[in-house]
Amino acid sequence: MSTLKITDLHVSIETEQGVRKQILKGVSLTINTGESHAIMGPNGSGKSTLASTIAGHPRYLVDSGTITLDGEDVLAMSVDQRARAGLFLAMQYPVEVPGVTMTNFLRTAKTALDGKAPSLRHWTKDVKEAMSQLRIDADFAQRNVNEGFSGGEKKRVEILQLELFKPRFAILDETDSGLDVDALKVVSEGVNREHSKGGMGTLLITHYTRILRYIKPDFVHVFVDGRIAEQGGPELAERLEAEGYDRFGTPVSASVDAPAGA
């Protein structure tokens, strides 16, 4: 079993006005492989900031606190070292990569992660099978990464990477945003397939409970104003569905100058 441990994490960003603004204000969270955690909360509460900080986005400045993976200091790792250590971020807004085909990107990334190129015979079979299960047209393998893809296609490609790269911890940053019901089911099935193997911990960030009907969390954490305001089991998500976030209060300052979706 592997453990991703976040302890008393404080994180800031520098605004366009050159002012440093604190977003995370003492977050502590422990995730083990085999567990599924959901983070919910209003816009500007710090959810995406946590995801980006774990992944190593340079905009997010760690003021204090620690992130460790099996005792190793994640904050001391470069972005590629974090990926090789088993951390995977499915982005809220996947970017286009002109000039790089899906085929080349996937195999190059897998080679970098494992330190050796996968057997071409088995790799081709794995890619075709995963694409079929995620209902990604085979022609997409020769297209440039995310170029001209719809929002739903981009999200399915994120989960394609998840299934092929087999991380120890998957951080899914609002993977459900922009998905219709059919795409939501397909994406959720992909996450569940990999999670069911027992070697992956899942941190799912979302505003809404609809994806939690397909990806069942073991734990739910409510983010408000850069802190975990409440924690519980799946029943907490149901309570949020019924009551919303009003009972926690939503500070006006929480979303000022914060990145979209933070």
Side-chain angles (χ1 to χ4, degrees):
M1 182 179 72
S2 289
T3 300
L4 179 65
K5 187 173 184 179
I6 301 159
T7 305
D8 197 23
L9 188 67
H10 293 71
V11 175
S12 300
I13 59 167
E14 189 170 299
T15 68
E16 294 177 359
Q17 292 75 31
V19 177
R20 191 151 169 163
K21 177 178 177 58
Q22 190 176 51
I23 304 296
L24 297 185
K25 304 173 183 178
V27 172
S28 295
L29 181 64
T30 300
I31 309 166
N32 298 307
T33 48
E35 294 178 352
S36 180
H37 293 246
I39 291 181
M40 305 183 70
N43 278 328
S45 58
K47 305 184 302 299
S48 292
T49 294
L50 177 63
S52 296
T53 302
I54 295 171
H57 194 297
R59 185 183 183 193
Y60 299 90
L61 310 171
V62 177
D63 300 315
S64 62
T66 60
I67 303 175
T68 60
L69 176 56
D70 293 338
E72 296 292 323
D73 185 3
V74 170
L75 297 177
M77 300 178 185
S78 63
V79 172
D80 62 302
Q81 287 172 332
R82 297 182 198 204
R84 290 191 183 97
L87 299 178
F88 175 88
L89 173 63
M91 293 185 286
Q92 184 177 356
Y93 303 108
V95 298
E96 296 184 0
V97 188
V100 179
T101 66
M102 288 285 298
T103 295
N104 287 338
F105 165 70
L106 291 170
R107 193 159 192 264
T108 300
K110 183 66 171 176
T111 300
L113 289 170
D114 293 353
K116 62 179 181 180
S119 162
L120 190 57
R121 178 181 174 185
H122 292 100
W123 175 249
T124 300
K125 178 179 176 293
D126 290 345
V127 172
K128 286 182 177 178
E129 182 178 340
M131 289 181 69
S132 175
Q133 289 177 320
L134 289 165
R135 301 182 193 176
I136 300 173
D137 193 289
D139 292 343
F140 275 58
Q142 301 309 317
R143 292 177 60 179
N144 292 336
V145 177
N146 290 330
E147 195 169 38
F149 291 13
S150 69
E153 288 165 346
K154 289 180 180 179
K155 294 300 179 73
R156 277 183 278 171
V157 167
E158 292 287 284
I159 304 308
L160 173 66
Q161 296 170 49
L162 170 68
E163 292 203 69
L164 293 172
F165 298 163
K166 303 187 181 309
R168 281 195 278 174
F169 292 94
I171 301 138
L172 311 178
D173 189 7
E174 297 196 31
T175 298
D176 54 335
S177 64
L179 297 183
D180 60 27
V181 173
D182 291 334
L184 181 64
K185 289 180 180 178
V186 170
V187 163
S188 298
E189 287 168 359
V191 175
N192 288 334
R193 273 194 300 274
E194 194 59 35
H195 187 81
S196 67
K197 298 173 185 176
M200 183 180 81
T202 303
L203 181 61
L204 173 64
I205 295 169
T206 184
H207 287 292
Y208 309 108
T209 58
R210 65 175 192 152
I211 193 170
L212 303 184
R213 299 181 189 125
Y214 304 104
I215 300 175
K216 303 293 186 182
D218 300 304
F219 307 95
V220 175
H221 314 271
V222 183
F223 265 45
V224 176
D225 193 26
R227 299 180 176 89
I228 296 178
E230 189 169 347
Q231 303 183 82
E235 71 284 348
L236 178 54
E238 296 173 5
R239 185 179 177 190
L240 290 172
E241 175 81 356
E243 301 178 4
Y245 299 108
D246 287 347
R247 66 191 175 90
F248 297 104
T250 306
V252 174
S253 62
S255 61
V256 176
D257 291 328

